[in-house]
Amino acid sequence: MNLVGVLAASTSTAVLVEGESDRAAVETLAARLGLPLADLGVQVLAMGGITNIGHHLVALGDENVRLGGLYDAAEERFVVKGLDRVGLRPFASTTPLTDLGFFCCDRDLEDELIRAIGVDGFLALIDAEGELRSFERLQGQPAQRERTTTQQLHRFIGSKGGRKERYGRRLAQVLPLDRVPAPLDALLRWAV
């Protein structure tokens, strides 16, 4: 994987996230917290899926930057394998990934944000975005009827192109700053 030209010349810390919705959420929340990531030498990179982490770690290994990121609990093995591959974590090490700058989300970052905002808060956001009727139609689908509202919300944001990224940004915009999910808070503290 060739990442030439992807890193800004001023980047000293690269934060690896799975996709564009995660990048939008991290950057939006950082701005709300008064953390000018670019000015601080921090660049958030969307990898296009966690299975690409090894390629990103290899490509960035020679760039003289600190590497960290967010990952989903179910995909920890990809992070461990990638870090082992480039020698950032000795094989079979028991070093916690947090010590290496990698922070775990329970299901994924969107789920962390939904829990932090709450179902009612997210429904209010969907209503404010003019998409409450679309969400109600999704709830009425046979495959969705037995799911919890939280599961339906998660499905909703991934059901239309561009919606996941837009809601990643919007959730970070309305998130109460005293309810920032632990992995996101830890990542931003580590990065800056």
Side-chain angles (χ1 to χ4, degrees):
M1 175 171 286
N2 185 352
L3 296 177
V4 173
V6 171
L7 284 183
S10 62
T11 300
S12 59
T13 299
V15 172
L16 303 176
V17 295
E18 188 171 347
E20 292 297 330
S21 63
D22 299 327
R23 184 186 58 76
V26 170
E27 291 177 345
T28 300
L29 183 59
R32 285 189 62 210
L33 292 170
L35 302 172
L37 295 180
D39 293 347
L40 296 169
V42 179
Q43 186 171 347
V44 183
L45 299 173
M47 298 181 294
I50 195 66
T51 58
N52 291 321
I53 192 166
H55 301 299
H56 279 73
L57 291 171
V58 168
L60 295 169
D62 295 330
E63 297 294 325
N64 197 29
V65 296
R66 288 173 60 222
L67 298 170
L70 285 176
Y71 65 94
D72 306 341
E75 298 168 337
E76 185 171 287
R77 68 190 182 282
F78 297 110
V79 178
V80 169
K81 184 178 177 183
L83 292 169
D84 287 349
R85 178 178 169 190
V86 298
L88 292 175
R89 179 182 173 272
F91 182 72
S93 171
T94 58
T95 302
L97 295 181
T98 55
D99 289 357
L100 302 173
F102 288 86
F103 303 90
C104 178
C105 296
D106 257 351
R107 179 176 176 187
D108 57 23
L109 183 55
E110 290 85 9
D111 191 59
E112 296 275 356
L113 291 169
I114 291 169
R115 278 188 282 122
I117 290 169
V119 169
D120 291 340
F122 195 19
L123 289 172
L125 177 60
I126 290 172
D127 190 23
E129 292 292 307
E131 293 195 301
L132 189 56
R133 183 68 190 121
S134 294
F135 176 69
E136 290 168 345
R137 280 194 298 273
L138 178 132
Q139 286 183 301
Q141 295 173 358
Q144 299 299 322
R145 290 183 191 144
E146 299 300 317
R147 292 184 168 188
T148 66
T149 304
T150 300
Q151 291 169 326
Q152 293 168 343
L153 289 167
H154 204 274
R155 175 67 185 116
F156 175 75
I157 62 175
S159 66
K160 181 179 176 184
R163 186 181 276 159
K164 193 170 182 180
E165 181 180 351
R166 180 166 54 97
Y167 277 100
R169 182 175 295 105
R170 290 292 290 128
L171 286 164
Q173 288 172 339
V174 301
L175 175 69
L177 294 180
D178 63 344
R179 297 184 70 193
V180 174
L184 187 50
D185 181 60
L187 172 73
L188 290 172
R189 289 177 189 276
W190 171 86
V192 298

